[in-house]
Amino acid sequence: MATATEAPASVTAEGPTSHTQNQADTRPANTFGYSRAEQLEALHRLREPFKPEEIRYLPRVWCKACRDAKGTCNRNDHERRQCRKCGQNMTTAHIDLRFVGHAEATNRLLNVDPFWDWEPMAPDANGLPQYDGNRGMWIRLTVCGMTRLGYGSADGKSGGDAVKEIIGDAIRNAGMRFGMALDLWTSSDLQIVESGGASLDETSASPAQDSRPEAARPHAMSPAETQQQVLGPFLERVRNGWDTLEATLQALAEAKAKALLDEMVPFGEPKVLTRVEDMLNARIKQLRARRDELNGHADTRERSAA
């Protein structure tokens, strides 16, 4: 396989196609006593798939006419019935987005790090969490000495229920930045496309456009098209983390979970079609060698100073 150290080329003609190697694989020293190996293990455990019984379903109507009618539109193939997934009695022109609740997310965090914690980005004048202009809240979530940001909101709710909803939503959102339940988010995006709505928030289509024959029958994506939908965003994440060992290790785990290991991508200089698994393993080997070299130089400087 190719041995060049460039990031994999984009599967499209857009954007940069490579990254430089000038960034060292270093992190701040304050990790609350957790070693890098322990942090990597925690990240892998956070990304483990949730059990089917831990996953819930949120119905979202993708037909604008059904949403406007607050029931069903005048199309014959949109009927009101009981959904076996979400259990709701509603139009068949909806999809069920998979998600994990606050209790399931908290249980996963406790299993990975019993000392995990979260805090608001800023307190208000009374020392309580500070909300933004949208009645949402930014938080810092810390797991095994790693801290990442998250945002929570409770659209349409008020009072104490809204406060609890905001906290739970923010923890799940920040947990997703660690990779927790990330597969549920990405598969939901694909479901939206496959169900006939490019976006659940789309409001520009008129009822006349909804009644077109091509809109009445969602396009069924082939396995190759679906795989390409997954591969493109995946390679973009690989390029963004190309100079970081931790991110590349996570990419390898993601490729395995999404059956992308045998996909062929342009890699090296000159560009050669290479298996995703071979490309990532080669890069991991390079990054580990660079880390060991940096550590060796640091040890030499310490001995010289002594």
Side-chain angles (χ1 to χ4, degrees):
M1 70 164 282
T3 58
T5 56
E6 284 191 351
S10 171
V11 293
T12 69
E14 303 173 359
T17 59
S18 66
H19 283 259
T20 62
Q21 305 182 64
N22 296 330
Q23 301 175 4
D25 182 36
T26 59
R27 291 293 185 275
N30 184 14
T31 59
F32 299 92
Y34 290 95
S35 67
R36 176 59 68 190
E38 289 172 331
Q39 290 180 324
L40 286 173
E41 181 184 0
L43 289 170
H44 287 307
R45 292 175 63 190
L46 282 170
R47 298 194 64 169
E48 290 177 358
F50 281 82
K51 297 178 182 178
E53 57 268 25
E54 295 177 308
I55 297 174
R56 305 180 190 181
Y57 292 93
L58 176 67
R60 296 291 298 272
V61 178
W62 56 262
C63 172
K64 183 178 183 298
C66 287
R67 291 201 303 271
D68 292 342
K70 297 183 179 179
T72 56
C73 62
N74 57 5
R75 280 170 47 175
N76 294 331
D77 57 338
H78 291 180
E79 303 174 352
R80 191 181 187 92
R81 66 175 64 167
Q82 191 84 14
C83 177
R84 287 184 291 180
K85 273 191 175 182
C86 66
Q88 299 295 317
N89 187 359
M90 59 189 306
T91 174
T92 54
H94 81 275
I95 61 175
D96 296 302
L97 303 182
R98 300 184 300 162
F99 74 102
V100 292
H102 188 187
E104 291 78 14
T106 301
N107 184 59
R108 171 62 60 86
L109 291 168
L110 286 170
N111 288 337
V112 172
D113 179 10
F115 304 103
W116 74 276
D117 196 11
W118 74 271
E119 61 178 344
M121 287 286 289
D124 62 14
N126 297 317
L128 300 175
Q130 176 70 56
Y131 297 104
D132 63 12
N134 299 314
R135 291 295 298 167
M137 179 175 64
W138 284 95
I139 72 166
R140 295 184 182 93
L141 178 67
T142 301
V143 184
C144 291
M146 299 173 287
T147 299
R148 295 178 184 177
L149 303 184
Y151 182 80
S153 61
D155 297 335
K157 293 187 178 181
S158 60
D161 287 339
V163 174
K164 291 183 288 187
E165 178 72 20
I166 290 171
I167 294 173
D169 190 42
I171 289 175
R172 290 193 299 269
N173 182 264
M176 188 259 290
R177 308 303 169 190
F178 285 95
M180 186 173 69
L182 183 61
D183 57 318
L184 304 186
W185 290 76
T186 53
S187 63
S188 295
D189 291 340
L190 287 176
Q191 284 180 309
I192 293 171
V193 177
E194 294 173 345
S195 297
S199 171
L200 293 177
D201 298 323
E202 181 63 49
T203 58
S204 60
S206 66
Q209 289 174 316
D210 282 342
S211 62
R212 294 179 299 174
E214 59 268 25
R217 293 186 297 273
H219 168 64
M221 298 175 67
S222 68
E225 290 175 316
T226 301
Q227 191 75 336
Q228 192 67 14
Q229 289 272 2
V230 178
L231 183 60
F234 167 76
L235 288 179
E236 184 62 28
R237 289 190 290 276
V238 170
R239 287 190 291 273
N240 290 338
W242 187 247
D243 294 308
T244 306
L245 178 58
E246 174 187 326
T248 309
L249 286 168
Q250 289 187 51
L252 183 61
E254 181 182 352
K256 183 177 181 180
K258 295 182 178 179
L260 297 174
L261 294 176
D262 291 326
E263 290 293 325
M264 304 297 290
V265 296
F267 176 59
E269 193 60 45
K271 294 291 184 282
V272 177
L273 286 178
T274 306
R275 291 176 66 247
V276 166
E277 182 178 21
D278 294 337
M279 174 190 71
L280 292 176
N281 280 330
R283 186 56 177 166
I284 289 169
K285 183 178 179 180
Q286 293 166 354
L287 291 173
R288 281 175 171 162
R290 189 175 69 186
R291 178 196 60 190
D292 294 342
E293 182 180 359
L294 289 171
N295 291 339
H297 289 329
D299 292 341
T300 300
R301 286 193 297 269
E302 289 179 2
R303 288 194 296 268
S304 299

